[in-house]
Amino acid sequence: MGDVAAKIKIMPESIETDLAELKEKIKAVIPAKADLHGDIVEEPIAFGLKALIVTLIVNDEEGGTEPAEEAFAKVSGVENVQVLEAYRI
C-alpha cells in the first residue's frame, strides 16, 4: 500500500472564531497515522469568514481520512469538515 495526500476543508462556527487557536487545536488532534503536510492555510469564503485547509498524508488503507475527519469535527469551534481532494502519492 502507498500513501494518500488528502486536502481537508474545516469550517469554523463563525467569523468570531479565533483561527490561530483553532489551528493549534486541530494540530493537537491529528491522529498518529496521519502527518500534517505543510501549514494549515486560511481560505477566504465570504463576508470575513475563512475556512482552514489542512493537507494530510495518510496510509492508503480503508477509512484512511475518517479518523482525522472525526477528530477535527469534535474540536470546539468547528462547524463542519469536508474532504476536498484525495490522491495517491
Side-chain angles (χ1 to χ4, degrees), residues 41-75:
V41 179
E42 295 179 15
E43 178 181 276
I45 302 299
F47 307 108
L49 183 63
K50 295 180 183 178
L52 298 179
I53 307 297
V54 179
T55 303
L56 296 178
I57 306 297
V58 296
N59 196 302
D60 184 17
E61 59 187 34
E62 187 173 336
T65 62
E66 287 179 18
E69 292 175 69
E70 291 170 3
F72 296 158
K74 292 177 183 176
V75 171

Side-chain angles (χ1 to χ4, degrees), residues 24-42:
E24 293 306 313
K25 290 179 182 177
I26 288 168
K27 288 178 184 178
V29 299
I30 293 174
K33 293 185 176 184
D35 294 316
L36 180 63
H37 182 72
D39 291 328
I40 298 176
V41 179
E42 295 179 15

